[in-house]
Amino acid sequence: MIFLKNDYSLGAHPRILKALTDTNMVHTEGYGMDPFCEEAKILLKDLCETEDADIHFLTGGTSANLIALSAFLRPHHAILAADSAHICVHETGAIEATGHKVFHVPGHDGKILPRQIEEAVRLHINEHMVKPKLVYISNATEVGTIYTKEELSALRKICDKYDLYLYADGARLGCALTAEGNDVSLSDMAALTDAFYIGGTKNGALFGEALVILRQELKEDFRFHIKQRGGMLAKGRLLGVQFTELFRDGLYFQLARHANEMAQILQKGILGAGYECLTPSPTNQIFPIFPNTLIDHLQKTASFDIWEAYGDRASAVRLVASWGTSEEDVMEFLQSL
Ligand SMILES: Cc1ncc(COP(=O)(O)O)c(C=O)c1O
């Protein structure tokens, strides 16, 4: 079978495993207070071009989102997000379970627009309603699209106007930052958001995300929040080792670039064969629309998810490439198509 279902189906990139093995017999402090976490933080601060960031290593995307957002907000605060956002659709109400309303606005290619933020803020007029306080975006978005620097700057501006925090979920940030047409860097993410996370789980790590907190008032007591939400690993060193390996010489970007390249060969081949995509995506997730009969045929040799129905006889499917997808896999899929 050709595996195009997701980007977390393999264990970890061999270099990550080697780094874990090489450091296995070194005794360290627990709970992220070890030299490997320190080294990874230095590397990330350097790439983010900020000395001031607080960096915390967390285990997964849902956990990072819920620990961060619940720590950042007061009880009456609400979150604004595109209706397709991961926290709106695929996190089992994890954010709402912390007591915060997530206000959905219609997404545009997976993105939230400044004017929608403005409209949502204006709908919430007094203390009988929740108070919007944080805008959640993801880069890449749920449908594989990316934010430009101009779009991020416009979001920053509107957030400043209404005193809102801007938080970016970076489960697939590597793919966003290495996509063709991208003009955003890690340092731009640090300059334009109040907090964001750099996803490792979907980009070659065994598991793990690095949360970067930029705004001073959001940093206070954050480790207490991690611990109380069950997110503080006694063996936190495992995260430090992995992030050091991913960032010490650009492995993180190399793996993401490869995943994008494989997905783009797929997308080009599919478009060339006369099919359309739901939303053209420059990253490692693409969403072609195929007749259902063709999907049945393709599923005999390839594993992928059906995303949504498209009329009665066709569906959009999600094809995901990863650091482990080979060009042979991609060619075989196109051949089958
Ligand atoms: C944008 C985004 N955020 C968060 C998550 C959740 O991550 P996890 O499955 O590690 O909890 C995902 C998972 O695919 C995701 O795509």
Side-chain angles (χ1 to χ4, degrees):
M1 282 300 251
I2 310 158
F3 201 92
L4 297 169
K5 208 179 171 87
N6 60 53
D7 39 16
Y8 42 89
S9 57
L10 296 170
H13 188 270
R15 271 186 52 187
I16 298 288
L17 286 186
K18 183 169 184 313
L20 290 167
T21 309
D22 289 350
T23 54
N24 195 41
M25 294 309 287
V26 181
H27 286 281
T28 65
E29 282 292 320
Y31 300 104
M33 303 305 277
D34 59 274
F36 303 119
C37 285
E38 279 318 303
E39 194 180 349
K41 284 180 193 176
I42 292 168
L43 286 171
L44 291 177
K45 282 185 192 180
D46 207 35
L47 283 166
C48 289
E49 292 178 35
T50 168
E51 265 301 302
D52 284 342
D54 274 8
I55 298 180
H56 302 276
F57 298 106
L58 300 167
T59 52
T62 306
S63 154
N65 287 336
L66 99 82
I67 293 170
L69 301 191
S70 63
F72 296 164
L73 301 177
R74 296 190 63 207
H76 59 293
H77 286 161
I79 295 153
L80 306 179
D83 52 6
S84 55
H86 205 266
I87 58 165
C88 296
V89 188
H90 290 121
E91 293 189 5
T92 329
I95 306 298
E96 288 92 337
T98 68
H100 299 284
K101 181 167 180 164
V102 182
F103 189 82
H104 302 189
V105 305
H108 292 262
D109 291 343
K111 300 181 194 178
I112 187 168
L113 305 177
R115 72 169 160 72
Q116 295 178 301
I117 295 171
E118 192 143 36
E119 283 161 15
V121 169
R122 288 195 175 146
L123 281 176
H124 294 82
I125 48 174
N126 59 32
E127 69 278 12
H128 298 274
M129 297 174 158
V130 290
K131 182 177 180 185
K133 186 64 185 174
L134 182 144
V135 172
Y136 165 101
I137 60 168
S138 70
N139 196 26
T141 70
E142 208 58 16
V143 291
T145 52
I146 57 173
Y147 280 91
T148 63
K149 196 167 165 180
E150 192 182 349
E151 287 171 329
L152 281 181
S153 305
L155 289 177
R156 175 74 269 161
K157 205 166 158 200
I158 206 80
C159 285
D160 286 343
K161 181 170 175 190
Y162 292 105
D163 194 21
L164 303 167
Y165 301 133
L166 182 59
Y167 171 81
D169 175 333
R172 295 190 177 83
L173 189 59
C175 286
L177 301 188
T178 54
E180 204 182 323
N182 169 68
D183 64 351
V184 174
S185 63
L186 265 182
S187 59
D188 294 327
M189 292 298 296
L192 294 169
T193 68
D194 295 298
F196 69 101
Y197 80 79
I198 303 168
T201 304
K202 279 126 199 166
N203 194 31
L206 202 49
F207 60 90
E209 331 292 319
L211 178 70
V212 184
I213 308 179
L214 290 316
R215 191 188 275 232
Q216 197 57 34
E217 73 214 48
L218 303 181
K219 295 176 184 171
E220 194 181 331
D221 292 342
F222 197 80
R223 278 178 59 82
F224 289 83
H225 290 276
I226 300 177
K227 182 68 184 179
Q228 197 173 58
R229 296 275 179 198
M232 193 175 283
L233 285 186
K235 291 187 185 173
R237 59 179 283 158
L238 300 180
L239 293 158
V241 169
Q242 294 184 76
F243 274 89
T244 298
E245 191 60 24
L246 283 172
F247 284 94
R248 72 181 169 81
D249 64 359
L251 177 65
Y252 185 77
F253 299 106
Q254 181 193 317
L255 298 184
R257 206 169 280 120
H258 173 83
N260 287 345
E261 277 167 18
M262 293 303 108
Q264 293 311 305
I265 297 175
L266 266 179
Q267 187 164 253
K268 212 167 153 201
I270 290 165
L271 294 174
Y275 299 100
E276 282 177 44
C277 285
L278 212 51
T279 309
S281 153
T283 58
N284 70 322
Q285 304 191 87
I286 60 164
F287 299 83
I289 300 160
F290 293 139
N292 292 335
T293 47
L294 176 58
I295 293 174
D296 290 343
H297 166 74
L298 292 169
Q299 282 182 326
K300 289 189 183 124
T301 52
S303 169
F304 56 85
D305 280 335
I306 296 177
W307 187 249
E308 63 186 35
Y310 195 81
D312 289 340
R313 286 196 239 144
S315 304
V317 302
R318 183 178 81 148
L319 305 180
V320 189
S322 78
W323 60 270
T325 306
S326 69
E327 204 158 338
E328 290 77 55
D329 293 336
V330 167
M331 288 310 172
E332 213 177 310
F333 183 89
L334 291 176
Q335 193 66 42
S336 169
L337 180 75

